[in-house]
Amino acid sequence: MSKAGMLYIDRNTLFHRMDGAAKLLLLAVWTVAVFLFQDLRVFVPLFLLGIIMLVSAKLPWRRIRLLVWLMIVFNVFNSLFTLVVTPAYGSEVTGSTTVIANLGYNVLTLETVIYVLTLSMKYMSLMPITVLFIYTTHPTRLASSLNRVGVPYKVAYAFSIAFRYIPDMQAEFRNISNAMQARGIGFGKGEGSFSQRLKHFISIAIPLVQSSLHRIETISNAMDLRGFGKHARRTWYSATVWQREDYVIITISAVALIAAIIARVQGFGTFWYPFA
């Protein structure tokens, strides 16, 4: 778990300077606000605001593109699965039916398309802030920040280890994949049918899990040997202090969350069908 293997990208921007706990609170408030609503008129502005914040962090696209594409692909497959399995569900939500296509086993309605689009934008509005949090937060600083705001240091340290393990897992996956390809097992296009390649990818899971368990045991033994957990409190080599921008952003987030809760209680934010 070297420093080079971390997902953290060092830059001198507002989000890089923010305290880790403040960013975690911002992420939590953003997530709660998103799941309070089911309205495109909320999700589209949040998504655009998130994109602006992500661009302002000056993160190189080549470093974040894998996670971004994974989120987009998951979103697309989830949308297609919803359309295929429940093509008329939107009509049950809105109480109206506008048929677009007859699928044989059911009909695809415009209401369902709008519903799936709304659901997709709900997930997409979380994507920029999630990427921003992951790539601008130093694991050790996050752990020290969480500990300082009252989170037990054992729990805080678990966050740090989890963040550091993600790139190590990616590297291990590539190593196992390369080793299997050297033995003639194909993963690329044209190296077997889709089902065969999918089976080969699944076969990576067993050595990957075994390798992960070995790493966990190694880390656990090293921490035990150093007396981790013996004392009720601990100090941190790397720590940050809350600055004025941290308080400003958290205050704005708290006000926005209160406003969102009030709006939701008053009935705004249920599924919005623009053609009703």
Side-chain angles (χ1 to χ4, degrees), residues 112-189:
T112 304
V113 173
I114 299 298
Y115 174 80
V116 169
L117 177 61
T118 302
L119 196 63
S120 298
M121 283 308 303
K122 176 192 282 274
Y123 296 139
M124 289 303 294
S125 62
L126 289 171
M127 184 267 292
I129 191 69
T130 304
V131 173
L132 192 66
F133 175 75
I134 290 175
Y135 286 96
T136 64
T137 306
H138 192 285
T140 304
R141 294 172 190 164
L142 172 63
S144 65
S145 301
L146 292 175
N147 184 223
R148 194 169 59 252
V149 297
V151 178
Y153 75 85
K154 295 179 183 179
V155 177
Y157 202 79
F159 273 88
S160 176
I161 292 178
F163 265 77
R164 292 175 181 272
Y165 254 120
I166 295 174
D168 284 347
M169 292 285 288
Q170 293 175 338
E172 189 67 24
F173 179 88
R174 286 193 296 267
N175 291 338
I176 296 173
S177 173
N178 292 337
M180 295 178 72
Q181 289 182 66
R183 290 168 172 81
I185 300 176
F187 293 93
K189 187 176 180 181

Side-chain angles (χ1 to χ4, degrees), residues 53-102:
M53 294 164 61
L54 187 59
V55 171
S56 68
K58 300 178 181 178
L59 301 175
W61 169 247
R62 61 182 180 83
R63 292 281 301 276
I64 68 173
R65 63 184 177 185
L66 177 60
L67 182 58
V68 171
W69 279 117
L70 283 175
M71 292 181 174
I72 293 175
V73 169
F74 168 79
N75 202 7
V76 169
F77 272 101
N78 181 66
S79 300
L80 292 175
F81 184 77
T82 304
L83 286 174
V84 170
V85 175
T86 56
Y89 178 75
S91 298
E92 299 177 15
V93 177
T94 61
S96 61
T97 303
T98 307
V99 178
I100 295 179
N102 190 339

Side-chain angles (χ1 to χ4, degrees), residues 186-252:
F187 293 93
K189 187 176 180 181
E191 298 179 339
S193 64
F194 176 77
S195 59
Q196 289 175 330
R197 286 184 284 132
L198 180 61
K199 183 180 179 181
H200 293 162
F201 273 110
I202 294 175
S203 65
I204 296 180
I206 296 176
L208 186 62
V209 169
Q210 291 176 338
S211 173
S212 301
L213 292 175
H214 178 69
R215 287 174 180 269
I216 292 172
E217 184 180 4
T218 302
I219 294 295
S220 177
N221 291 336
M223 293 171 69
D224 287 339
L225 287 172
R226 287 164 175 78
F228 183 84
K230 178 182 179 181
H231 302 288
R233 303 185 63 181
R234 63 159 289 171
T235 56
W236 298 87
Y237 177 77
S238 179
T240 56
V241 206
W242 278 51
Q243 304 294 332
R244 182 174 60 182
E245 53 261 32
D246 295 309
Y247 290 104
V248 170
I249 291 178
I250 290 305
T251 302
I252 294 174

Side-chain angles (χ1 to χ4, degrees), residues 41-57:
R41 295 170 295 180
V42 175
F43 300 146
V44 171
L46 281 177
F47 175 72
L48 295 177
L49 176 60
I51 291 297
I52 293 173
M53 294 164 61
L54 187 59
V55 171
S56 68

